[in-house]
Amino acid sequence: MGPISAPDLTGIHEEALAWTRRDGFDRAMAVFCEEMVAFHSGRRVANLGMGHTLIWAIAALIVYFDQARPEGVTFTEIAHLCEAGGLGGRKAAKSAIDALRSGGLVTALPRPEDRRARRLRPTQKLLDLEHDNIVGRLKALELTQPLPGRAEELGRGPRALHAFLGGNVEAFVHARFRLYDGFSEVQAFMDRSCGYMILLDLLRRAHAGEDDLAMTEASPSDLSARFDISRAHVRKLLTRAHERGWIAAESETGRIRLDPGFHRRMRHWIGVEFVWMWRLVAPSF
């Protein structure tokens, strides 16, 4: 499989907002959050640090370029892409690749034409993990968009993997596009350890409360145990969100109220996730 053309980014936010009005969207959003939380907190992923944004991005770069270019990709090229795109510096890229190699997800082989250059190649273990991620996304997507087959089967196909990772890589390389661009709330959570999972956990539990306000639940003890982080860290994340006006805790019930504007923007963000997924993988089916 060769390189993929840069995806069309036109009208993605307008289409995402329309997607949030589809029948079953809220259930699909909950399933998306459940699938991603389960995936990133699973032992195979959590033990390898794959929930870390930079590690996940570098893994996608390695898988895609291994399939799209005969020569594959080297550490130097990965580090340059990370620096140019603002993902991290050379030292951070090296640490991420070392983590992938120590976890048995990536190997480094000398290039025949230059044995000093090490080609980074994905192992079957990494490919299996990438397929698991796509299957989870498709399970949520099919609740609002009919698919031409079972999510489990479609997500295991090599074309879907190549289309999804390739589309993300090419959009980032050519337009510096990232799915959370424009959503400062998402970025704020992602900048903190396990923040992405905690945000998804809040959203997956969200339900309509009194006066149609979105309510959710978040126990620092439960979250710390599930994601193997300290309760103090969880409390700091929730306090930070409270200070920014995104959430408010009800002391008498222990429940958390989501600010309507915050919840609306999070629905918009998940809508972008669905539109983007469909745009990338639909041509591969």
Side-chain angles (χ1 to χ4, degrees):
M1 288 178 279
I4 289 175
S5 300
D8 180 17
L9 302 176
T10 306
I12 190 169
H13 285 283
E14 292 79 6
E15 189 175 345
L17 288 172
W19 204 296
T20 65
R21 296 189 288 270
R22 291 192 180 192
D23 290 341
F25 176 81
D26 288 313
R27 175 57 186 154
M29 176 174 169
V31 170
F32 174 85
C33 294
E34 290 168 1
E35 290 289 337
M36 292 300 100
V37 166
F39 174 79
H40 285 289
S41 61
R43 283 292 168 215
R44 289 193 304 164
V45 177
N47 289 348
L48 298 167
M50 287 289 281
H52 191 284
T53 306
L54 180 60
I55 293 178
W56 189 249
I58 287 178
L61 289 168
I62 292 171
V63 173
Y64 172 61
F65 284 126
D66 188 67
Q67 298 174 341
R69 298 176 3 182
E71 71 277 16
V73 68
T74 65
F75 163 72
T76 299
E77 292 166 325
I78 290 287
H80 174 72
L81 286 170
C82 289
E83 288 179 326
L87 288 176
R90 186 179 182 88
K91 184 176 181 180
K94 182 179 184 305
S95 295
I97 291 172
D98 286 345
L100 290 168
R101 291 183 65 186
S102 66
L105 301 179
V106 167
T107 60
L109 304 173
R111 277 181 169 172
E113 69 277 12
D114 183 0
R115 299 189 66 82
R116 293 171 300 176
R118 296 275 172 170
R119 175 179 181 171
L120 301 172
R121 304 208 66 181
T123 65
Q124 189 60 48
K125 187 176 180 181
L126 175 55
L127 295 176
D128 289 344
L129 283 174
E130 297 284 7
H131 281 298
D132 289 345
N133 184 269
I134 292 178
V135 168
R137 292 172 180 272
L138 289 177
K139 285 181 178 179
L141 186 70
E142 68 181 352
L143 296 176
T144 56
Q145 173 64 52
L147 301 179
R150 295 177 58 246
E152 183 70 32
E153 295 175 355
L154 295 173
R156 301 276 171 211
R159 289 173 57 83
L161 176 65
H162 188 64
F164 180 68
L165 295 184
N168 277 288
V169 169
E170 294 295 348
F172 174 73
V173 170
H174 292 283
R176 296 294 181 261
F177 174 76
R178 294 171 295 189
L179 284 169
Y180 51 83
D181 286 342
F183 298 99
S184 58
E185 306 93 332
V186 178
Q187 181 70 66
F189 274 94
M190 292 181 75
D191 283 345
R192 301 286 176 166
S193 176
C194 290
Y196 177 64
M197 277 90 85
I198 289 174
L199 173 60
L200 292 176
D201 201 77
L202 290 173
L203 297 177
R204 79 183 180 90
R205 298 171 184 265
H207 60 277
E210 296 179 4
D211 300 323
D212 290 329
L213 292 174
M215 305 296 297
T216 189
E217 300 171 3
S219 163
S221 295
D222 291 344
L223 290 172
S224 67
R226 181 167 196 183
F227 300 129
D228 195 24
I229 53 179
S230 71
R231 281 176 290 182
H233 181 66
V234 175
R235 282 193 290 268
K236 285 181 181 178
L237 278 169
L238 298 179
T239 298
R240 193 176 178 86
H242 173 76
E243 290 172 346
R244 297 189 178 193
W246 300 336
I247 65 174
E250 294 184 344
S251 57
E252 65 277 9
T253 65
R255 296 182 304 172
I256 290 179
R257 184 175 67 254
L258 301 181
D259 172 74
F262 171 73
H263 190 228
R264 187 163 51 249
R265 284 176 55 75
M266 293 304 93
R267 294 179 83 253
H268 181 181
W269 167 52
I270 299 298
V272 171
E273 289 274 1
F274 287 166
V275 169
W276 186 241
M277 182 71 181
W278 185 239
R279 285 190 182 189
L280 297 186
V281 303
S284 73
F285 297 151

